[in-house]
Amino acid sequence: MSITITVFPGKDKANLKENFKPITFISGESVSIVGPTGSGKTAFINDIELLAQGDTVTGRTVMINGQYPSDEYRHNPAVKPIVMITQNTKCFTDLTVEEFILTHARARKKEGPKIAALTIEMANLFTGEKISEKMRVTSLSGGQTRALMIADAITVGAAPIILLDEVENAGIFKHKVIEVIKNTDKIIIFVTHDPVIALLTDKRIVMKNGAVKKVINQSKKELWAAKVLIDLDQKMGMIREELRRGNIISEEILGIIGLEAGVVTSAEVV
Amino acid sequence: MKLLIIAGPPSSGKTALAKQIIKNLGYCLKISFLKIDVVKAFEDEELKKEFNIETMKVYSGDLCPDHAEVMVLGDAVSWAENLKSDLLIVESAGLCLRCSPYLNQGLGIVVLDAISGIHAPAKMGPMVSLADIAVVTKIDLVSQAEREVFRQKIFEINPEIQMFETNALYGTSLQFLYRKILMSDPINPETLKLKGVPPIGTCTICVGRKEIGWKHHFGIVKKLDQCSEYLYRGE
């Protein structure tokens, strides 16, 4: 199912009208929202999630497939074509992981015998700490909660539009996440501070003081930069995992990973 | 005149919701506001100052606030009608969760906050099951999935309920609610009745005895091990 989302300007934090041409996102497109903290990145995807009709903080309006969304589209999760993974790393819901997934599946009318098992299996791809169906959602760690929410969004949400708010946080395996959701026909919008994600997306929206300041299309030059950064990022990831396991990072390990210690030796640093 | 009764636990966002309704409908409706509380309430003064509307409050003191509502609501309706109000908003104190303050006319809204716990809607009994509309507040504090799980739990208690999810401080996504209020039927004060049956108050605890244990009491009392589900059920 092909789908489009169009965002119309609202107001910035100083209550001044935003100055951008309506932005349309099309199925298969990936988008990143960048900008300093407090610049309005989360508010932007919140507007999409709520299918804002001038009744959110920003005053923006969102159309879906070129039309104003019906009330049913806005308020009934069973027909809502959008899933959002927020920055929350805590759940207040006192249910087991399995009950949580099954209740959510009822809300989204996506019931099936294997939905809980599938979701948990996927969540475990994203986190190093294993999640099981009888754990209580309230007792999950930040990373586990995040991993579960992302897996739930993909399996139970199963919507053509995915919004992710700072997926790189909370220590989950972001490459695995991106692998699972890229190359789909979905619209994927990342709020991010991560340079790799920002460079890999088709469109980059730059926010400032609550307003959209720029829309940048991906260029070949930047794709090259992304390649360099992905390599660096993977090396950083390996070191992170070593540290998490309690290992000491030696020059040898740096060498194996392919990071040059360069001219600075460990003796000089000390 | 239209009537809106807002109920819900303390600090769930009832007043924040009332403010959004007044802010967004005040241009086309003359609104009056009544607050019923037990000991202290400031909402009436706040709303009067902010929106320049007619407000009133009543403290129920040692009387159950929902019983108090039943007593004073008739007067409140006359008061609002004499002011030529188009809409009377009544905000209840909503404490013991056994009563529900909704009437057979107008709209009854229950306000629940999204972080109050997944079993809260079930524990709130008739305040949820007899409401026409549920407004879930503080949705900015939970994930979308958790919000939808909470929503599902409310539906499982009251499948007919109309639900709105909002950050009441900003009044996000409430346009449809405003339309529902505008389209609601005017009330007929002669035939106003409570929707639910309130619990009766005829035991010795009700009349002021504070002693603990059944042997100090008579009327409708049972020993702990004789209680099946409820100490007492009426109709």
Side-chain angles (χ1 to χ4, degrees):
Chain A
M1 177 179 74
S2 184
I3 201 162
T4 68
I5 284 274
T6 309
V7 181
F8 293 83
K11 289 169 294 179
D12 70 6
K13 285 190 169 173
N15 232 1
L16 301 168
K17 208 172 170 333
E18 276 184 297
N19 187 19
F20 68 87
K21 287 199 192 95
I23 310 170
T24 298
F25 307 117
I26 309 164
S27 288
E29 202 167 30
S30 62
V31 183
S32 55
I33 317 286
V34 299
T37 316
S39 58
K41 301 187 293 298
T42 300
F44 187 88
I45 58 165
N46 271 337
D47 285 343
I48 296 176
E49 201 272 334
L50 297 169
L51 293 166
Q53 295 303 307
D55 58 354
T56 63
V57 193
T58 64
R60 290 193 191 107
T61 307
V62 176
M63 276 189 170
I64 190 152
N65 292 331
Q67 291 179 328
Y68 293 110
S70 65
D71 290 318
E72 176 84 352
Y73 244 58
R74 293 194 74 192
H75 298 292
N76 182 356
V79 298
K80 190 172 205 165
I82 302 167
V83 294
M84 177 158 80
I85 295 128
T86 49
Q87 286 194 51
N88 307 63
T89 51
K90 259 283 152 229
C91 243
F92 301 96
T93 306
D94 190 20
L95 295 175
T96 65
V97 169
E98 190 178 31
E99 287 165 342
F100 185 91
I101 297 166
L102 294 178
T103 312
H104 193 206
R106 286 205 295 282
R108 285 251 171 187
K109 305 249 182 306
K110 295 269 168 50
E111 286 156 272
K114 287 191 179 137
I115 192 122
L118 268 173
T119 309
I120 294 166
E121 192 183 319
M122 185 182 288
N124 281 326
L125 287 179
F126 303 150
T127 172
E129 327 152 76
K130 210 168 156 33
I131 302 169
S132 68
E133 79 261 26
K134 295 295 170 217
M135 285 178 172
R136 297 205 84 78
V137 176
T138 39
S139 68
L140 299 181
S141 74
Q144 285 175 320
T145 306
R146 215 71 198 291
L148 178 65
M149 290 302 144
I150 295 171
D152 170 272
I154 295 167
T155 57
V156 177
I161 300 163
I162 301 188
L163 311 171
L164 295 123
D165 199 351
E166 294 189 26
V167 68
E168 64 268 24
N169 282 356
I172 55 162
F173 305 142
K174 80 175 176 218
H175 289 291
K176 283 268 166 52
V177 176
I178 295 166
E179 219 170 85
V180 170
I181 57 179
K182 80 175 179 196
N183 299 329
T184 60
D185 54 356
K186 295 176 191 294
I187 297 173
I188 305 166
I189 304 181
F190 297 90
V191 164
T192 190
H193 293 291
D194 186 292
V196 174
I197 297 175
L199 289 172
L200 280 180
T201 44
D202 303 321
K203 257 187 197 146
R204 190 153 89 231
I205 294 178
V206 186
M207 305 294 301
K208 195 183 167 190
N209 199 31
V212 171
K213 280 293 161 196
K214 252 188 198 173
V215 181
I216 300 169
N217 287 315
Q218 194 183 48
S219 76
K220 280 211 171 113
K221 233 182 193 171
E222 285 195 334
L223 260 183
W224 172 81
K227 268 193 169 161
V228 176
L229 280 181
I230 289 171
D231 185 48
L232 197 64
D233 204 49
Q234 273 167 350
K235 288 170 179 167
M236 285 280 278
M238 288 184 217
I239 294 175
R240 188 180 299 121
E241 283 314 305
E242 289 297 317
L243 289 171
R244 280 175 162 183
R245 286 189 206 121
N247 294 337
I248 305 291
I249 306 297
S250 63
E251 279 177 47
E252 285 73 25
I253 287 187
L254 285 184
I256 293 165
I257 291 172
L259 281 170
E260 295 280 335
V263 288
V264 185
T265 66
S266 53
E268 280 174 61
V269 177
V270 174
Chain B
M1 186 177 71
K2 299 174 191 301
L3 175 68
L4 194 63
I5 300 206
I6 304 179
S11 300
S12 56
K14 297 186 292 294
T15 308
L17 177 69
K19 280 187 181 178
Q20 294 300 342
I21 293 169
I22 296 166
K23 198 157 108 192
N24 284 278
L25 292 179
Y27 73 96
C28 60
L29 298 179
K30 181 173 163 52
I31 302 174
S32 304
F33 176 86
L34 171 72
K35 170 74 191 179
I36 300 170
D37 215 312
V38 184
V39 188
K40 267 270 165 265
F42 309 98
E43 290 82 354
D44 58 318
E45 293 153 39
E46 232 176 274
L47 293 180
K48 194 180 189 117
K49 215 169 136 193
E50 195 171 336
F51 300 105
N52 194 26
I53 58 167
E54 292 294 336
T55 65
M56 253 190 134
K57 78 178 142 204
V58 53
Y59 295 138
S60 59
D62 288 335
L63 180 62
C64 154
D66 286 330
H67 282 205
E69 183 203 276
V70 178
M71 302 292 170
V72 303
L73 200 62
D75 297 340
V77 167
S78 316
W79 163 74
E81 282 195 319
N82 286 338
L83 290 167
K84 304 221 174 339
S85 307
D86 303 307
L87 172 67
L88 169 62
I89 300 178
V90 180
E91 183 183 325
S92 87
L95 295 175
C96 82
L97 309 174
R98 174 53 191 83
C99 288
S100 89
Y102 315 120
L103 304 181
N104 58 348
Q105 303 170 46
L107 288 174
I109 299 186
V110 60
V111 180
L112 295 125
D113 89 52
I115 58 170
S116 61
I118 196 70
H119 303 302
K123 290 178 183 171
M124 286 167 60
M127 200 188 272
V128 173
S129 59
L130 294 179
D132 302 300
I133 292 168
V135 174
V136 178
T137 58
K138 305 183 193 179
I139 60 160
D140 51 316
L141 300 181
V142 297
S143 62
Q144 186 198 41
E146 188 166 11
R147 202 171 90 207
E148 292 175 4
V149 165
F150 194 65
R151 173 192 176 89
Q152 181 64 21
K153 285 285 177 187
I154 297 173
F155 268 130
E156 286 170 6
I157 294 161
N158 182 346
E160 303 299 320
I161 208 162
Q162 183 97 45
M163 191 135 30
F164 299 93
E165 294 152 328
T166 187
N167 172 347
L169 295 177
Y170 294 108
T172 46
S173 322
L174 289 177
Q175 281 191 338
F176 188 25
L177 172 68
Y178 305 144
R179 284 209 299 283
K180 288 285 285 188
I181 297 171
L182 281 176
M183 291 182 312
S184 68
D185 293 327
I187 55 164
N188 174 4
E190 301 305 312
T191 54
L192 276 177
K193 257 180 93 174
L194 275 179
K195 252 189 189 175
V197 183
I200 62 165
T202 54
C203 72
T204 37
I205 304 163
C206 301
V207 298
R209 291 190 70 161
K210 288 172 152 182
E211 289 84 356
I212 300 298
W214 60 272
K215 58 184 173 294
H216 300 290
H217 296 282
F218 57 89
I220 298 163
V221 289
K222 280 183 185 168
K223 286 199 223 180
L224 185 61
D225 60 2
Q226 288 170 350
C227 302
S228 49
E229 206 176 349
Y230 300 100
L231 194 68
Y232 175 76
R233 287 294 257 172
E235 286 180 30

